[in-house]
Amino acid sequence: RFRFDLIIRKSSSSGMAHGESKQDVVRSWVEYGADTHFPIQNLPFGVFSTKDSGPRCATAIGEYVVDLSVLASMGVLPQQVKSVFASSSLNEFMGLGKTVWSNTRKALQEFFSEKTKAPANDPKRPFLIPMKDVTMHLPCRVGDYTDFYSSRHHATNVGVMFRGKENALKPNWLHLPVGYHGRASSVIVSGSNVRRPRGQIKPDPNAPPVFSECKKLDFELEMAFFVGTGNKLGDPIPIDKAKEHIFGLVLMNDWSARDIQKWEYVPLGPFLAKNLATTISPWIVTMEALEPFRVPNEKQQPEPLPYLRDPSLTAYDINLEVSIQGSEAKEASSVSSANAKYLYWSFTQQLAHHSITGCNMRTGDLLGSGTISGPSPGEYGSMLELSW
């Protein structure tokens, strides 16, 4: 057994918390340390339960989970969301669209701002629950799940391994975001146990395959986005409108049984090697919260076809780290540090490409980035590469 952690680290460019700028530093009356992952600039969305009550929607600030159903009943949030947060998933809220998401986030920031102060007539603050007292769940009902292959460094590394340096990238890779359809039913929330899979492997190339427990179980360091609002069947999402359909990002580990994959993947690609489990973080970080982390994307050559040309092509400067802790280890050891900016194909391009045939995207659809690797060995996003 080992423990798998994915961490969005505080920006190294300043001493400020996530999303702060020198022009607009917002503080909260909720006390928390400078190194928190949940400052007032973040306010992600998720679903939680306690020992005394069932799953319902939440945000997070400092060391607290915030019960949004309570805040809605207090009249703190916009009227459009008054009845949606008592639900066991965020789908209804996500389907309301970007304007409602933004207004809700703005209302939360205003409520928790130090200028507002805590409600004087409610010293118990029933909407604040310590994180140690909650259980986190999948943030929404996952409709369909697609995994892309959008990191050039990762695709090149794998190509060199299996085809040689001269044929590392397939001819289509620089023209379109390569992807495949995964299994939504086995998407699980971080902290869930994963059973080592069994299947056919072929350890001896000169002997028949054998049925065996997977001996090469791997992680894949990824990010993924949830579709907020979808599109009608037959009506693609234009690239300049794609961002309006993206609710937010999660961290993702697409578990991979490499020895099963090696035997099964020709000619249609991975199947059982990828359907065992896909782990995502419980909190969805909104695209609005990630605005301060936008950076120019890598220049794309050759220039993509018109439907993939994003006038505001963007990557995100988010530090990512993988740590593994063995069952007998006293602490976790970092094995990789990468960055989301290493994605060649952007999230908006992935969504526009997915829908260009007229495929109807739906609220709660999950789209993974593919393994994120950087240019140096210490930035590789899988054991397949790290052990190369």
Side-chain angles (χ1 to χ4, degrees):
R1 293 184 179 182
F2 60 86
R3 176 181 172 183
F4 184 92
D5 287 321
L6 282 174
I7 304 169
I8 291 186
R9 299 163 72 183
K10 180 178 168 182
S11 174
S12 58
S13 60
S14 75
M16 295 181 291
H18 290 294
E20 289 185 358
S21 67
K22 293 179 180 178
Q23 293 77 24
D24 186 22
V25 178
V26 181
R27 305 295 184 191
S28 174
W29 52 262
V30 178
E31 296 182 359
Y32 50 76
D35 60 346
T36 182
H37 289 280
F38 302 104
I40 194 171
Q41 289 78 15
N42 190 348
L43 299 177
F45 291 94
V47 170
F48 80 104
S49 65
T50 66
K51 63 179 182 179
D52 300 318
S53 58
R56 53 204 186 276
C57 300
T59 186
I61 188 166
E63 299 302 316
Y64 294 96
V65 165
V66 180
D67 189 334
L68 292 176
S69 66
V70 175
L71 288 189
S73 68
M74 292 167 56
V76 171
L77 305 179
Q79 183 66 26
Q80 300 100 310
V81 302
K82 185 174 182 180
S83 62
V84 303
F85 288 133
S87 172
S88 60
S89 79
L90 286 164
N91 291 67
E92 187 175 353
F93 173 60
M94 293 163 64
L96 293 176
K98 185 179 179 180
T99 299
V100 175
W101 310 336
S102 182
N103 289 341
T104 301
R105 185 171 183 274
K106 181 180 179 181
L108 287 169
Q109 283 194 318
E110 290 177 351
F111 178 74
F112 285 111
S113 168
E114 65 179 356
K115 296 178 181 180
T116 303
K117 305 294 183 184
N121 62 344
D122 196 1
K124 293 184 179 181
R125 303 173 191 170
F127 47 85
L128 290 180
I129 302 113
M131 287 188 175
K132 63 181 179 61
D133 295 334
V134 309
T135 299
M136 298 303 298
H137 302 271
L138 279 176
C140 66
R141 296 185 304 275
V142 181
D144 286 300
Y145 161 50
T146 300
D147 198 22
F148 285 93
Y149 193 46
S150 297
S151 166
R152 185 171 185 171
H153 296 296
H154 173 69
T156 300
N157 290 341
V158 174
V160 171
M161 286 182 212
F162 294 105
R163 294 185 297 274
K165 189 174 182 179
E166 299 303 318
N167 191 31
L169 291 179
K170 287 289 190 178
N172 63 350
W173 200 93
L174 293 172
H175 293 272
L176 56 84
V178 173
Y180 73 95
H181 294 289
R183 183 73 184 176
S185 66
S186 54
V187 175
I188 56 177
V189 72
S190 179
S192 302
N193 290 329
V194 175
R195 179 174 294 181
R196 185 177 293 271
R198 295 180 179 183
Q200 289 191 31
I201 64 174
K202 202 171 188 293
D204 185 347
N206 299 314
V210 297
F211 182 76
S212 170
E213 185 178 71
C214 171
K215 301 181 186 303
K216 295 182 178 181
L217 185 61
D218 200 356
F219 65 81
E220 291 187 342
L221 172 60
E222 303 192 28
M223 298 199 74
F225 66 86
F226 274 106
V227 173
T229 54
N231 58 299
K232 294 181 180 179
L233 182 66
D235 294 338
I237 297 174
I239 186 69
D240 59 346
K241 300 292 184 182
K243 190 176 178 182
E244 299 175 11
H245 293 261
I246 299 175
F247 179 67
L249 302 185
V250 292
L251 297 162
M252 191 172 93
N253 171 21
D254 191 30
W255 297 90
S256 299
R258 298 298 186 194
D259 43 3
I260 295 174
Q261 181 178 355
K262 184 178 180 180
W263 170 236
E264 74 173 2
Y265 84 101
V266 177
L268 295 180
F271 179 38
L272 303 183
K274 296 281 192 174
N275 72 1
L276 64 140
T278 300
T279 300
I280 65 170
S281 54
W283 295 107
I284 305 176
V285 180
T286 65
M287 305 311 291
E288 194 169 347
L290 291 168
E291 276 294 302
F293 297 95
R294 288 179 60 185
V295 293
N297 204 76
E298 176 183 348
K299 184 177 176 68
Q300 295 179 333
Q301 290 291 346
E303 185 179 26
L305 292 174
Y307 79 94
L308 288 174
R309 293 176 194 166
D310 189 342
S312 58
L313 188 61
T314 296
Y316 291 88
D317 184 9
I318 301 172
N319 293 318
L320 305 169
E321 182 179 341
V322 180
S323 297
I324 295 177
Q325 183 172 1
S327 58
E328 297 181 1
K330 294 183 179 179
E331 58 184 25
S333 298
S334 177
V335 297
S336 176
S337 297
N339 194 296
K341 67 183 178 183
Y342 293 135
L343 290 174
Y344 182 86
W345 294 105
S346 71
F347 299 120
T348 51
Q349 287 175 320
Q350 292 166 27
L351 182 57
H353 182 66
H354 200 315
S355 71
I356 194 60
T357 58
C359 174
N360 53 320
M361 312 302 295
R362 297 179 295 184
T363 299
D365 284 353
L366 178 68
L367 281 71
S369 65
T371 304
I372 302 173
S373 293
S376 65
E379 298 174 297
Y380 293 168
S382 66
M383 288 304 297
L384 178 66
E385 297 163 272
L386 291 167
S387 60
W388 180 25

